[in-house]
Amino acid sequence: TTTTTTTSSVSGDTKNGNGVGEEARGVVLKSNLYRLHVLRAVGRIIGTCLLHSDICPISLCRHVLKYILGRPISWHDLAFFDPVLFQSLQKLMHMRDESPDDIEHVGLTFHITLPQCMGGRDYFLKRNGGNIQVTKVNVHEYVELYTRCILVECVQDELDSIKAGVYDIITQESCGSLTAEDVRLILNGSMKVDVPLLKSVTNFIDEVKERSLFKQMRTWFWEVVGELSDEQQHNLLFFWTSASSMPSTKEGFKMTPTVVIRPASDSHLPTANTCSSRLSIPSYSSKEVLKQKLSLAIQTQAFGFI
């Protein structure tokens, strides 16, 4: 109905002889084409990040990742996209098991109206869907078709553009064994810091020139890191490298994290150069002082140039 009304209004301008309708239609087509080109470029960014194991600033929903990988999308994937809508459909599924005869009283058919954010237009899940009532027999089909409509069919062109962009950079075979969760971890890392992984890639530089003190500070540092809360460990990673998430592999660290042990001073805080992932720590008099100073320093959420 919405599509018909829009077309009629545009055609009306054309009938008036001013050509506005055709021009407006052309602008819409160009806009949509431009949007698809942009999304293909987004796909190429994602493909490049996958190729080089780089953290990607773009976070995709689970069903989008599954679509890119060619994995089946089920109605359970809706929970990661629209939890409220998922719960509504889940209630229908529970009703089928607990009070199946009540489903018909809800008055649903295979004709739906899309949310306004998706255009608000009418959509038929099946041919003549407005005449097909949802019952205990076909409620599962209704839920699956509804989900497929929301997650895929309404944005098919957009999904295809992103997918094409990804495979402009890498081959589909290279992703053959990956799950959506694997791809998300590669692209976005983890909010939880993997201390053993971080420890395995970190280098230490001795500016103290006193071997025993240098070794003591290195030991204290990892002990303190292990004692920090998850939030503090995340803040440390951000303070140290400016990364908002932890890479999933060693290859994900494009800059080797480095800790510089500097001459003794209990009056100075640790400092960081995020451009080179370098953390500078004075040689403190005790492990307790190190923990206190480091915990205070990592609360900094602003950066500047020295």
Side-chain angles (χ1 to χ4, degrees), residues 117-137:
C117 62
M118 293 185 174
R121 61 188 177 89
D122 291 339
Y123 192 93
F124 293 91
L125 301 176
K126 296 180 71 173
R127 187 178 181 84
N128 298 320
N131 298 320
I132 304 174
Q133 188 174 14
V134 178
T135 67
K136 61 183 179 183
V137 176

mmCIF file of all heavy atoms in Angstrom, residues 117-137:
data_model
loop_
_atom_site.group_PDB
_atom_site.id
_atom_site.type_symbol
_atom_site.label_atom_id
_atom_site.label_comp_id
_atom_site.label_asym_id
_atom_site.label_seq_id
_atom_site.Cartn_x
_atom_site.Cartn_y
_atom_site.Cartn_z
ATOM 1 N N CYS A 117 11.114 1.554 11.217
ATOM 2 C CA CYS A 117 12.531 1.639 10.871
ATOM 3 C C CYS A 117 12.869 0.803 9.645
ATOM 4 O O CYS A 117 13.933 0.960 9.047
ATOM 5 C CB CYS A 117 13.395 1.206 12.059
ATOM 6 S SG CYS A 117 13.149 -0.514 12.591
ATOM 7 N N MET A 118 11.960 -0.094 9.253
ATOM 8 C CA MET A 118 12.163 -0.909 8.057
ATOM 9 C C MET A 118 11.202 -0.529 6.943
ATOM 10 O O MET A 118 10.981 -1.283 6.011
ATOM 11 C CB MET A 118 12.002 -2.395 8.400
ATOM 12 C CG MET A 118 13.086 -2.921 9.316
ATOM 13 S SD MET A 118 12.955 -4.691 9.590
ATOM 14 C CE MET A 118 14.453 -4.983 10.532
ATOM 15 N N GLY A 119 10.591 0.622 7.073
ATOM 16 C CA GLY A 119 9.736 1.120 6.012
ATOM 17 C C GLY A 119 8.262 1.125 6.335
ATOM 18 O O GLY A 119 7.467 1.806 5.689
ATOM 19 N N GLY A 120 7.861 0.336 7.350
ATOM 20 C CA GLY A 120 6.473 0.323 7.781
ATOM 21 C C GLY A 120 5.487 -0.234 6.766
ATOM 22 O O GLY A 120 4.284 -0.039 6.898
ATOM 23 N N ARG A 121 5.971 -0.939 5.750
ATOM 24 C CA ARG A 121 5.069 -1.427 4.704
ATOM 25 C C ARG A 121 4.486 -2.798 5.055
ATOM 26 O O ARG A 121 4.987 -3.502 5.936
ATOM 27 C CB ARG A 121 5.812 -1.510 3.364
ATOM 28 C CG ARG A 121 7.001 -2.463 3.347
ATOM 29 C CD ARG A 121 7.791 -2.328 2.049
ATOM 30 N NE ARG A 121 8.975 -3.173 2.030
ATOM 31 C CZ ARG A 121 8.995 -4.412 1.595
ATOM 32 N NH1 ARG A 121 7.879 -4.975 1.157
ATOM 33 N NH2 ARG A 121 10.100 -5.126 1.615
ATOM 34 N N ASP A 122 3.451 -3.154 4.334
ATOM 35 C CA ASP A 122 2.839 -4.468 4.499
ATOM 36 C C ASP A 122 3.705 -5.527 3.828
ATOM 37 O O ASP A 122 4.342 -5.272 2.799
ATOM 38 C CB ASP A 122 1.440 -4.497 3.874
ATOM 39 C CG ASP A 122 0.459 -3.638 4.655
ATOM 40 O OD1 ASP A 122 0.745 -3.377 5.834
ATOM 41 O OD2 ASP A 122 -0.561 -3.222 4.083
ATOM 42 N N TYR A 123 3.701 -6.713 4.416
ATOM 43 C CA TYR A 123 4.533 -7.792 3.876
ATOM 44 C C TYR A 123 3.782 -9.114 4.059
ATOM 45 O O TYR A 123 3.257 -9.397 5.129
ATOM 46 C CB TYR A 123 5.875 -7.843 4.617
ATOM 47 C CG TYR A 123 6.911 -8.719 3.956
ATOM 48 C CD1 TYR A 123 7.829 -8.189 3.055
ATOM 49 C CD2 TYR A 123 6.976 -10.086 4.248
ATOM 50 C CE1 TYR A 123 8.791 -8.985 2.449
ATOM 51 C CE2 TYR A 123 7.923 -10.886 3.638
ATOM 52 C CZ TYR A 123 8.834 -10.330 2.741
ATOM 53 O OH TYR A 123 9.773 -11.123 2.140
ATOM 54 N N PHE A 124 3.738 -9.897 2.992
ATOM 55 C CA PHE A 124 3.078 -11.197 3.043
ATOM 56 C C PHE A 124 4.133 -12.299 3.155
ATOM 57 O O PHE A 124 4.982 -12.437 2.282
ATOM 58 C CB PHE A 124 2.215 -11.411 1.800
ATOM 59 C CG PHE A 124 1.043 -10.479 1.733
ATOM 60 C CD1 PHE A 124 1.140 -9.251 1.078
ATOM 61 C CD2 PHE A 124 -0.154 -10.806 2.354
ATOM 62 C CE1 PHE A 124 0.058 -8.383 1.031
ATOM 63 C CE2 PHE A 124 -1.232 -9.946 2.305
ATOM 64 C CZ PHE A 124 -1.130 -8.730 1.657
ATOM 65 N N LEU A 125 4.071 -13.031 4.252
ATOM 66 C CA LEU A 125 5.048 -14.089 4.490
ATOM 67 C C LEU A 125 4.822 -15.290 3.568
ATOM 68 O O LEU A 125 5.747 -16.052 3.299
ATOM 69 C CB LEU A 125 4.977 -14.550 5.959
ATOM 70 C CG LEU A 125 5.235 -13.452 7.010
ATOM 71 C CD1 LEU A 125 5.049 -14.016 8.407
ATOM 72 C CD2 LEU A 125 6.625 -12.863 6.843
ATOM 73 N N LYS A 126 3.595 -15.440 3.114
ATOM 74 C CA LYS A 126 3.247 -16.488 2.147
ATOM 75 C C LYS A 126 2.269 -15.896 1.142
ATOM 76 O O LYS A 126 1.655 -14.859 1.396
ATOM 77 C CB LYS A 126 2.608 -17.700 2.858
ATOM 78 C CG LYS A 126 3.525 -18.417 3.836
ATOM 79 C CD LYS A 126 2.820 -19.588 4.497
ATOM 80 C CE LYS A 126 2.589 -20.719 3.533
ATOM 81 N NZ LYS A 126 2.057 -21.934 4.208
ATOM 82 N N ARG A 127 2.125 -16.561 0.034
ATOM 83 C CA ARG A 127 1.159 -16.117 -0.967
ATOM 84 C C ARG A 127 -0.243 -16.124 -0.353
ATOM 85 O O ARG A 127 -0.629 -17.090 0.325
ATOM 86 C CB ARG A 127 1.212 -17.048 -2.183
ATOM 87 C CG ARG A 127 0.376 -16.582 -3.358
ATOM 88 C CD ARG A 127 0.542 -17.550 -4.531
ATOM 89 N NE ARG A 127 -0.230 -17.132 -5.674
ATOM 90 C CZ ARG A 127 0.165 -16.247 -6.578
ATOM 91 N NH1 ARG A 127 1.370 -15.689 -6.460
ATOM 92 N NH2 ARG A 127 -0.590 -15.925 -7.601
ATOM 93 N N ASN A 128 -0.976 -15.022 -0.537
ATOM 94 C CA ASN A 128 -2.298 -14.873 0.081
ATOM 95 C C ASN A 128 -2.227 -14.984 1.601
ATOM 96 O O ASN A 128 -3.134 -15.521 2.248
ATOM 97 C CB ASN A 128 -3.289 -15.909 -0.479
ATOM 98 C CG ASN A 128 -3.514 -15.732 -1.970
ATOM 99 O OD1 ASN A 128 -3.602 -14.605 -2.463
ATOM 100 N ND2 ASN A 128 -3.583 -16.851 -2.688
ATOM 101 N N GLY A 129 -1.103 -14.493 2.161
ATOM 102 C CA GLY A 129 -0.872 -14.638 3.600
ATOM 103 C C GLY A 129 -1.928 -14.014 4.478
ATOM 104 O O GLY A 129 -2.149 -14.453 5.614
ATOM 105 N N GLY A 130 -2.623 -12.998 3.961
ATOM 106 C CA GLY A 130 -3.657 -12.364 4.757
ATOM 107 C C GLY A 130 -4.841 -13.260 5.027
ATOM 108 O O GLY A 130 -5.625 -13.012 5.946
ATOM 109 N N ASN A 131 -4.968 -14.318 4.227
ATOM 110 C CA ASN A 131 -6.080 -15.261 4.408
ATOM 111 C C ASN A 131 -5.660 -16.540 5.125
ATOM 112 O O ASN A 131 -6.461 -17.456 5.261
ATOM 113 C CB ASN A 131 -6.670 -15.619 3.037
ATOM 114 C CG ASN A 131 -7.234 -14.388 2.323
ATOM 115 O OD1 ASN A 131 -7.843 -13.536 2.955
ATOM 116 N ND2 ASN A 131 -7.018 -14.309 1.016
ATOM 117 N N ILE A 132 -4.402 -16.607 5.547
ATOM 118 C CA ILE A 132 -3.911 -17.812 6.228
ATOM 119 C C ILE A 132 -3.739 -17.500 7.705
ATOM 120 O O ILE A 132 -2.888 -16.693 8.095
ATOM 121 C CB ILE A 132 -2.566 -18.287 5.632
ATOM 122 C CG1 ILE A 132 -2.707 -18.525 4.126
ATOM 123 C CG2 ILE A 132 -2.089 -19.548 6.333
ATOM 124 C CD1 ILE A 132 -1.390 -18.864 3.444
ATOM 125 N N GLN A 133 -4.538 -18.126 8.521
ATOM 126 C CA GLN A 133 -4.483 -17.879 9.959
ATOM 127 C C GLN A 133 -3.349 -18.677 10.594
ATOM 128 O O GLN A 133 -3.048 -19.801 10.188
ATOM 129 C CB GLN A 133 -5.810 -18.268 10.612
ATOM 130 C CG GLN A 133 -5.913 -17.864 12.080
ATOM 131 C CD GLN A 133 -7.298 -18.138 12.649
ATOM 132 O OE1 GLN A 133 -8.096 -18.849 12.051
ATOM 133 N NE2 GLN A 133 -7.590 -17.558 13.810
ATOM 134 N N VAL A 134 -2.710 -18.070 11.594
ATOM 135 C CA VAL A 134 -1.662 -18.760 12.348
ATOM 136 C C VAL A 134 -2.329 -19.681 13.366
ATOM 137 O O VAL A 134 -3.148 -19.244 14.176
ATOM 138 C CB VAL A 134 -0.733 -17.764 13.058
ATOM 139 C CG1 VAL A 134 0.314 -18.505 13.881
ATOM 140 C CG2 VAL A 134 -0.052 -16.849 12.045
ATOM 141 N N THR A 135 -1.965 -20.956 13.314
ATOM 142 C CA THR A 135 -2.534 -21.967 14.214
ATOM 143 C C THR A 135 -1.410 -22.742 14.886
ATOM 144 O O THR A 135 -0.228 -22.526 14.610
ATOM 145 C CB THR A 135 -3.433 -22.943 13.426
ATOM 146 O OG1 THR A 135 -2.603 -23.702 12.527
ATOM 147 C CG2 THR A 135 -4.487 -22.189 12.622
ATOM 148 N N LYS A 136 -1.811 -23.671 15.731
ATOM 149 C CA LYS A 136 -0.816 -24.504 16.405
ATOM 150 C C LYS A 136 -0.037 -25.358 15.412
ATOM 151 O O LYS A 136 1.086 -25.778 15.692
ATOM 152 C CB LYS A 136 -1.497 -25.384 17.451
ATOM 153 C CG LYS A 136 -2.536 -26.348 16.867
ATOM 154 C CD LYS A 136 -3.235 -27.144 17.955
ATOM 155 C CE LYS A 136 -4.294 -28.078 17.365
ATOM 156 N NZ LYS A 136 -5.032 -28.807 18.434
ATOM 157 N N VAL A 137 -0.592 -25.590 14.251
ATOM 158 C CA VAL A 137 0.065 -26.429 13.248
ATOM 159 C C VAL A 137 1.150 -25.662 12.502
ATOM 160 O O VAL A 137 2.228 -26.197 12.222
ATOM 161 C CB VAL A 137 -0.969 -26.982 12.245
ATOM 162 C CG1 VAL A 137 -0.283 -27.780 11.148
ATOM 163 C CG2 VAL A 137 -2.010 -27.833 12.971
#
